[in-house]
Amino acid sequence: MIGGLYFFVIVIANTIGAISGMGGGVLIKPTFDLIGAHSVVAISFYSSVAVLTMSLVSTARQISSHQQFNWRLITWVSAGAIAGGVFGNSTLDYLLEKFDSDASVQMIQIVLTIITLLFALCYSKMAHVGYQLTNSICYLICGLVLGFLASLLGIGGGPINVSLFMLLFSMPIKEATVYSICSILFSQLSKIGTIALGAGFSSYDLSVLAYIMPAAIIGGLLGGKLSHVLSEESVMQVFQVVIISVLLINCYNGFNLL
């Protein structure tokens, strides 16, 4: 029952996530919190697996379609995302040890997610404002921030990825979604790798992955196909609608924890 519900949520979330560059986790994490079938750490893990799978599919599809990339930007952002992902996962482990209940950590995640969502929503209304940074250190710092938040919040990267790429590098939204998915790939890869080299996967119900991974692949393929069809304006509308929807879900989840 839970597996089938997770399958449905992930197909929808990853389709939208691939279109908008948010990665799907921004929808998966709060929806799984709302369902409440697993712990905070398990939900974060399942969300990361779903987002990693989707980003692998989407990135492979972009490469096979001969998409032109700025490989220097990808290299430095990805390096930062890997380091940020490790740090974000370590921070999540620290918070889980420091606080007595999952609810406290979940509330921290919700508050930080709401802040990033509000930033992304505000920027989407003034997307004409942007810089054209080309320094490798700027790429690295951008990756660090995105990787840290993606891993800590368990949302894969979310709207802040797209917004930062548009703001710092003056990218149109469809181009920003491509680089966002690439950074999500490496941040989630580092998170899963950190778990594998640390406590391992024995504490998770891995049977759920039989539903999660196929759903993530389907969502990644559908989203990648639709992203080529939709216009810049349509992608921006999807982006804004998703932000508002996830804001409402997170506010509801936060209210229930009070």
Side-chain angles (χ1 to χ4, degrees):
M1 175 64 182
I2 290 299
L5 188 56
Y6 279 8
F7 183 93
F8 175 76
V9 169
I10 289 170
V11 169
I12 300 299
N14 274 1
T15 299
I16 296 171
I19 293 171
S20 62
M22 295 188 191
V26 72
L27 280 167
I28 295 168
K29 172 66 170 58
T31 305
F32 282 12
D33 283 341
L34 188 61
I35 294 168
H38 290 94
S39 67
V40 168
V41 68
I43 288 171
S44 182
F45 170 69
Y46 296 145
S47 178
S48 292
V49 171
V51 172
L52 173 62
T53 304
M54 182 279 297
S55 58
L56 276 168
V57 171
S58 295
T59 302
R61 194 176 186 280
Q62 293 290 347
I63 292 173
S64 65
S65 66
H66 305 293
Q67 170 80 33
Q68 295 298 312
F69 294 105
N70 179 341
W71 288 105
R72 186 167 69 89
L73 184 152
I74 288 177
T75 301
W76 283 101
V77 168
S78 299
I82 290 171
V86 172
F87 183 45
N89 192 64
S90 299
T91 303
L92 179 59
D93 288 341
Y94 170 76
L95 292 173
L96 288 166
E97 290 178 9
K98 183 176 178 61
F99 293 98
D100 295 330
S101 68
D102 277 1
S104 299
V105 178
Q106 189 178 341
M107 181 60 82
I108 292 171
Q109 289 180 317
I110 287 171
V111 170
L112 290 175
T113 300
I114 288 173
I115 291 170
T116 63
L117 288 167
L118 288 173
F119 163 77
L121 182 61
C122 290
Y123 181 72
S124 71
K125 301 294 185 181
M126 44 180 279
H128 60 281
V129 178
Y131 303 93
Q132 292 183 319
L133 304 180
T134 57
N135 189 287
S136 297
I137 300 300
C138 294
Y139 295 160
L140 182 68
I141 293 172
C142 178
L144 279 167
V145 172
L146 297 181
F148 174 75
L149 289 174
S151 190
L152 173 62
L153 303 181
I155 61 174
I160 193 171
N161 289 34
V162 177
S163 300
L164 272 183
F165 281 120
M166 293 171 67
L167 173 63
L168 299 180
F169 313 125
S170 293
M171 291 181 180
I173 189 168
K174 289 187 72 171
E175 183 180 353
T177 62
V178 174
Y179 288 101
S180 173
I181 296 296
C182 287
S183 70
I184 288 169
L185 167 61
F186 287 97
S187 67
Q188 296 310 292
L189 193 60
S190 69
K191 175 167 183 169
I192 299 298
T194 301
I195 294 172
L197 295 173
F201 305 117
S202 59
S203 62
Y204 304 108
D205 178 6
L206 298 182
S207 65
V208 180
L209 298 185
Y211 297 92
I212 288 174
M213 296 182 74
I217 292 170
I218 293 169
L221 290 172
L222 283 174
K225 192 171 186 65
L226 288 171
S227 67
H228 285 288
V229 175
L230 296 175
S231 65
E232 294 274 345
E233 183 180 349
S234 297
V235 172
M236 180 63 81
Q237 289 172 347
V238 170
F239 183 77
Q240 292 172 343
V241 168
V242 172
I243 290 175
I244 294 169
S245 300
V246 178
L247 265 172
L248 293 174
I249 294 172
N250 275 280
C251 288
Y252 178 79
N253 288 343
F255 179 78
N256 284 340
L257 290 175
L258 296 175

